Amino acid sequence: MIEIHNFDVVIVGAGGAGMRAALSASTQAHTAVITKLYPTRSHTGAAQGGIAAALGNVEEDAVEWHTFDTIKGGDYLVDQDAAAVLTSEAPGAVIELEHMGLPFNRTPDGHIDQRKFGGHTREHGAAPVQRAAYAADRTGHQILQTLFQNCVKNEVEFFNEFYALELILDGARHGYADGQGAPAGQAHAARHGYADEQAHAARHGIVAYELATGKLHLFAANSIVLATGGAGRVFKTTSNAHCLTGDGMGLALRAGIPLEDMEFVQFHPTGLAGLGILLSEAARGEGGILRNNTGEAFMVNYAPKIKDLAPRDIVSRAIANEVREGRGCGPNRDYVYLDVTHLPRDVIDAKLPDITQFARTYLGVEPYTEPVPTYPTAHFTMGGIPTTLNGEVIRGLVPSDENSRVNGLSEYQTVPGLFACGETACVSVHGANRLGTNSLLETVVFGKRAGDAAAAFALSQPLPARLTRDDAAPTAARLDELRNRPRGARIASVRRALQETMDQDAAVFRTEETLHRAYANISELRHQYRAVAVEDRSLIYNTELMEAVELGYLIDIAQCMVAAAKARQESRGGHFREDYPNRDDKNFMHHSLTYLLSPASDSGNFSANRATQQQIQIVKKEVVMQGYEPMERVY
Ligand SMILES: Cc1cc2nc3c(=O)[nH]c(=O)nc-3n(C[C@H](O)[C@H](O)[C@H](O)COP(=O)(O)OP(=O)(O)OC[C@H]3O[C@@H](n4cnc5c(N)ncnc54)[C@H](O)[C@@H]3O)c2cc1C
């Protein structure tokens, strides 16, 4: 039996973004949080280094310098209005966390301490600046605990270990075939025989699987917020946990919503070699140095001014280049060293305790005395579900001629009552390359904005949402079909092949040839996915069944990433095309919106593509400029 729940606001995800949204929404509206992990296990808890804010506690700093660094760091693909919001609201957001009880490291005079991080500079690039507020190398963990405790205090209702399987938008559950979408409300109203479409124009729902019981639940709400985190598991070598399968992005794609800027994936320079587990940039912020096989501190050759503290895209390419040119370390010369041996042991213990322990545990290396083998690891999804500054999900652009543009830009078509925030969203503060410590900041600044907007929208609706069990019936049928499917391809094999394809052909360096190969491989894997089968046929705690669902999202997202990367014939930020090594502002100073077009159908499986051949449409979206002219990006 499908259980029905009614709320004003339903938030999917209990990481930094989801819980910050919940704190705002729950003070105004009846709010639920659905999360596939227990909240304090969300991946925000893995964030190590810090959260950016121009507090100026340790040395002079300015919000405007932070804005400039964010835009330049993103290789000018950042929406400049969004960067201004992020950076100007940063000091207030960090102080708010402090007041909620977050135990930040302190300066001797009792202020929040701050450290250096890549790409954060004073006076527009003159020198690195100490801008990252931090709690040792457990900043995300402390943020997550603090937000959770405050949510509990505010009596937010959590549904833990519930997997969102389906997003029901008014009339849009099975996706729009044209990539433009239909007016919200029409189809749903027609299906339910409502006379007044407008009054019923915001009835959304989430169908979720409860791990502990195997039961399906239908959550109806006027506002839904997607805050499901990133999609790093598209790659094999990644700093992301197994749960980061891009579920919110997959749900959005299936509902006919595009993903923005998916070609831009961040590879963090210092993953533990061969494993991908992250060693935070904080190690270099505290004075760590990258060295090649001659012991040379090679970053001076790539970023003469700020060297090891250059932005991540530049450092990752530098490391990959050292290895390619034979200057890598180890028996296979396939990594470089991160050297902190010159740092005092008490500094390592006080400021980098977790990551140095990772080196001991996973590689058997003692960082006090030995350099640590490192290589770039897939880390962050710059792209995601496109949103406005208040987290409203953008479905597309309103067709316009020059005369009907607002401030010179196309108008957006949003989905009323649908919001997104955090890593799953793309409000475009990171552009082509995120600066370290700007992501935790994004979760709290835009989580709050999305929570506020979701509550306001829900409360402005004349009627509460009203869905019936019939709305969840197709999901139940699909899940049953998947669970009871006769023998077929193994989920782990298809997933491994996908991840290896992405590592090999769509990682730090890309060409038309590698991307073409990746696209063909993904299409073949999509074909295999249609016949995957699970061995566990039980209803309760069926994590294998959930992995099968997640694999559908991974395939869809990988295909969007590769298609968008093929279309962008230039190099910018984290997207480096060896066949087009320069940035090309004339032809590519625009965002990409990638739509998966598939025939609407109730049958098939948990992937937007219920046909084997996926059609992809890529639409250009303008970059919002507010006075920062694109310049050559040198450090
Ligand atoms: C190792 C590491 C270190 C990092 N260090 C830093 C740092 O120092 N500074 C910084 O700014 N950034 C850092 N980042 C990036 C930053 O941590 C993340 O971008 C950010 O925490 C993402 O938060 P989120 O709330 O969007 O997602 P998450 O914290 O990943 O939360 C996602 C939530 O969605 C839920 N969910 C997902 N799918 C479903 C589903 N189908 N149904 C129900 N629930 C679902 C999950 O249960 C979870 O609660 C780091 C990232 C990594 C991987």
Side-chain angles (χ1 to χ4, degrees), residues 37 39 59 84 115 132 181 214 222 229 271 281 289 327 340 438 479 507 515 539 561 593 618 632:
L37 302 176
E59 58 177 318
R115 59 167 47 137
N222 276 321
E281 206 165 293
I289 294 170
R327 295 187 291 277
V340 294
N438 266 355
L479 201 62
L515 292 169
L539 272 173
M561 283 177 176
L593 294 181
I618 298 181
E632 198 191 347

Side-chain angles (χ1 to χ4, degrees), residues 177-192:
D178 63 357
Q180 299 299 318
Q186 278 180 8
H188 186 88
R191 200 152 31 97
H192 291 265

Side-chain angles (χ1 to χ4, degrees), residues 12-18 34-37 39 42-51 117 139 144 162-165 227-230 239-240 243-244 247-248 251 278 280 312 379-380 421-424 434 436-441 443 553:
V12 187
I34 302 171
T35 171
K36 70 180 181 182
L37 302 176
S42 300
H43 208 59
T44 293
Q48 301 166 352
I51 175 167
F117 243 79
T139 312
L144 208 53
F162 277 54
Y163 284 69
L165 298 178
T228 53
S239 64
N240 285 200
C243 56
L244 290 175
D247 303 13
L251 292 173
L278 193 76
S280 168
R312 291 173 179 176
H379 182 60
F380 184 83
C421 54
E423 194 172 337
T424 202
R434 168 174 77 90
T437 68
N438 266 355
S439 171
L440 287 176
L441 180 60
T443 66
Y553 304 136

Side-chain angles (χ1 to χ4, degrees), residues 423-506:
E423 194 172 337
T424 202
C426 180
V427 62
S428 197
V429 285
H430 308 305
N433 171 65
R434 168 174 77 90
L435 289 190
T437 68
N438 266 355
S439 171
L440 287 176
L441 180 60
E442 176 191 21
T443 66
V444 288
V445 167
F446 290 99
K448 177 176 187 309
R449 285 177 157 253
D452 281 335
F457 180 83
L459 297 178
S460 74
Q461 296 308 292
L463 293 169
R466 192 167 6 116
L467 295 179
T468 70
R469 288 194 176 82
D470 287 350
D471 289 293
T475 317
R478 275 210 295 284
L479 201 62
D480 267 354
E481 188 277 325
L482 178 58
R483 190 166 56 84
N484 295 310
R485 204 177 278 172
R487 284 174 178 284
R490 295 198 62 199
I491 293 150
S493 319
V494 177
R495 187 178 52 215
R496 176 47 63 111
L498 177 75
Q499 292 168 334
E500 283 175 353
T501 289
M502 292 300 282
D503 266 22
Q504 224 161 25
D505 288 332

Side-chain angles (χ1 to χ4, degrees), residues 101-144:
L102 198 148
F104 283 112
N105 276 44
R106 298 277 161 188
T107 60
D109 62 354
H111 290 93
I112 296 173
D113 199 7
Q114 296 186 271
R115 59 167 47 137
K116 293 176 187 165
F117 243 79
H120 289 281
T121 68
R122 52 180 296 116
E123 293 168 273
H124 309 106
V129 73
Q130 288 173 258
R131 185 176 290 151
Y134 66 100
D137 53 2
R138 303 179 188 120
T139 312
H141 172 85
Q142 299 292 12
I143 289 178
L144 208 53

